[in-house]
Amino acid sequence: MKKTLFKMTMGLGIMVLAAQQVQARNCAPREDVVKRLTETYGETRQGIGIARRGAVMEVYASDTSGSWTITVTMPDGMTCLIASGRSYEDMAEALPPNV
C-alpha cells in the first residue's frame, strides 16, 4: 500500500512538472530549499532524476520522522516543491526476471 501511494505521488509530481503548473509561491533558490528541508525537517536527498527541459527531480526524506518531499530544480536554479508527505520507506526491489 505504501509503495503504491508513493508511486502515485511520484506520478502526480511528474504530471505537474510536465504540465508546467508549478506555482511561484512554492519556489525558491535551491540552496534555501535544501537548507530548510535539512534544518526544519531533517530530510536528506534520497533520490535524483533528470526531467524534461533540463529540470532535476529530487526526493528528500528523513530516516527519523519519515517525512518526505519531492522537489524540481529548473536550470535557472529555482527549486519548486512538488509534493510532500509522511511514512517514507526506502526500498530496493529487484526487477522481475525476463520471461
Side-chain angles (χ1 to χ4, degrees):
M1 170 89 174
K2 291 179 183 179
K3 182 172 84 173
T4 302
L5 181 59
F6 185 72
K7 286 182 180 179
M8 289 173 42
T9 304
M10 290 291 291
L12 176 62
I14 292 168
M15 286 189 298
V16 169
L17 176 63
Q20 296 182 3
Q21 295 177 354
V22 178
Q23 298 179 358
R25 65 183 173 165
N26 293 326
C27 302
R30 184 177 184 281
E31 56 274 5
D32 296 344
V33 173
V34 172
K35 181 178 180 181
R36 179 152 187 188
L37 291 175
T38 301
E39 292 178 357
T40 304
Y41 301 100
E43 296 180 2
T44 59
R45 187 168 59 188
Q46 304 291 316
I48 189 169
I50 303 297
R52 294 179 2 163
R53 298 185 181 175
V56 177
M57 183 277 308
E58 296 171 291
V59 178
Y60 289 84
S62 168
D63 294 331
T64 306
S65 70
S67 69
W68 57 266
T69 305
I70 298 173
T71 66
V72 172
T73 302
M74 304 308 286
D76 66 0
M78 291 298 287
T79 297
C80 300
L81 302 177
I82 301 300
S84 62
R86 58 186 178 170
S87 301
Y88 178 81
E89 292 184 28
D90 188 30
M91 304 177 109
E93 295 182 0
L95 293 174
N98 291 334
V99 178

